[in-house]
Amino acid sequence: MAKLKLGVIVGSNRRDSINRKLAQALSLLGRDAFEAKFIQIDDLPMYNQDTELPVPAPVARFKAEVEGSDALLVVSPEHSRSIPAVLKNAIDWGARPWGKTSWPGKPAAVTGTSGGAISTAIAQQHLRAVLGDQGLHLMGGEAYIQFKPDLVDATGKVADDSVQKFFKTFIDQFAAFAGKFAPAAARQAA
Ligand SMILES: Cc1cc2nc3c(=O)[nH]c(=O)nc-3n(C[C@H](O)[C@H](O)[C@H](O)COP(=O)(O)O)c2cc1C
């Protein structure tokens, strides 16, 4: 099968984001199945219904990249036991203007990392509720990653073999899941 276009959304605007590193590691491990593109969200203005038309340029770019993706991987930290504002802002822009939502029908997987013992579990529950409501198809299962300083290096390499295996299983499962929703053109190229 042709590679699926994977839109990767990192729910952090921090320069040295550990979730971006995790997303890079997953993209690297999934490179046989996916052509990954990181979709920027930190340049989106704060959502305001007064300014949604004409659609601001960064929002138009963001929506086009979401709509051009065959599948979406969302890797996010947890902020105050929920999803970060920068991610919720992006989700809201994707859903607007009314009647022009970019989300429905996209297969998606969610994961995330933080230093805490229950590492992003509550944020992921909230994220699933929000994305499910927007009509995405969410892969089941759970992947909460407790961050350790040597989890992944700057190039996306995973030091620990068992962690690498876990990530590989996660991304392979997602490739199989997303493939079921692939456009007919990608399936015919198999
Ligand atoms: C405003 C704020 C709220 C946070 N709340 C949580 C939380 O609820 N649970 C958690 O595990 N970590 C929490 N953290 C710690 C983050 O997990 C940590 O900053 C992590 O590095 C964020 O990921 P990033 O590097 O990808 O931005 C919070 C951090 C900030 C800045």
Side-chain angles (χ1 to χ4, degrees):
M1 187 187 285
K3 287 190 188 184
L4 298 174
K5 288 183 204 149
L6 180 67
V8 183
I9 298 176
V10 178
S12 172
N13 52 4
R14 199 166 81 84
R15 192 179 48 243
D16 295 323
S17 165
I18 57 178
N19 283 277
R20 179 167 296 273
K21 288 178 187 158
L22 171 59
Q24 283 162 344
L26 291 169
S27 303
L28 202 59
L29 289 168
R31 65 187 181 278
D32 290 343
F34 293 115
E35 186 185 311
K37 177 177 178 50
F38 280 64
I39 301 179
Q40 189 178 357
I41 62 170
D42 63 1
D43 61 340
L44 302 176
M46 176 61 73
Y47 176 78
N48 182 336
Q49 198 168 356
D50 293 336
T51 60
E52 69 174 23
L53 286 173
V55 175
V59 175
R61 188 267 313 150
F62 170 75
K63 287 174 71 68
E65 289 177 357
V66 169
E67 289 165 23
S69 302
D70 297 320
L72 296 166
L73 173 66
V74 185
V75 185
S76 181
E78 179 170 286
H79 278 185
S80 308
R81 293 284 180 254
S82 188
I83 59 177
V86 70
L87 178 57
K88 183 59 165 57
N89 187 51
I91 295 169
D92 287 348
W93 273 119
R96 299 296 298 182
W98 192 88
K100 302 273 184 198
T101 174
S102 304
W103 301 116
K106 299 284 176 195
V110 303
T111 186
T113 185
S114 81
I118 58 165
S119 182
T120 73
I122 299 170
Q124 286 190 44
Q125 290 300 322
H126 291 189
L127 184 55
R128 283 179 176 281
V130 172
L131 295 180
D133 188 57
Q134 290 303 321
L136 289 91
H137 302 294
L138 287 156
M139 184 172 78
E142 299 176 318
Y144 312 131
I145 319 293
Q146 187 172 20
F147 184 80
K148 300 273 162 46
D150 61 350
L151 183 69
V152 281
D153 69 20
T155 65
K157 293 225 177 71
V158 182
D160 185 281
D161 281 352
S162 63
V163 175
Q164 163 112 349
K165 214 165 155 187
F166 178 80
F167 287 171
K168 181 77 176 118
T169 301
F170 174 84
I171 202 73
D172 286 351
Q173 281 175 350
F174 184 44
F177 177 79
K180 294 180 190 154
F181 300 90
R187 282 199 300 272
Q188 279 160 11

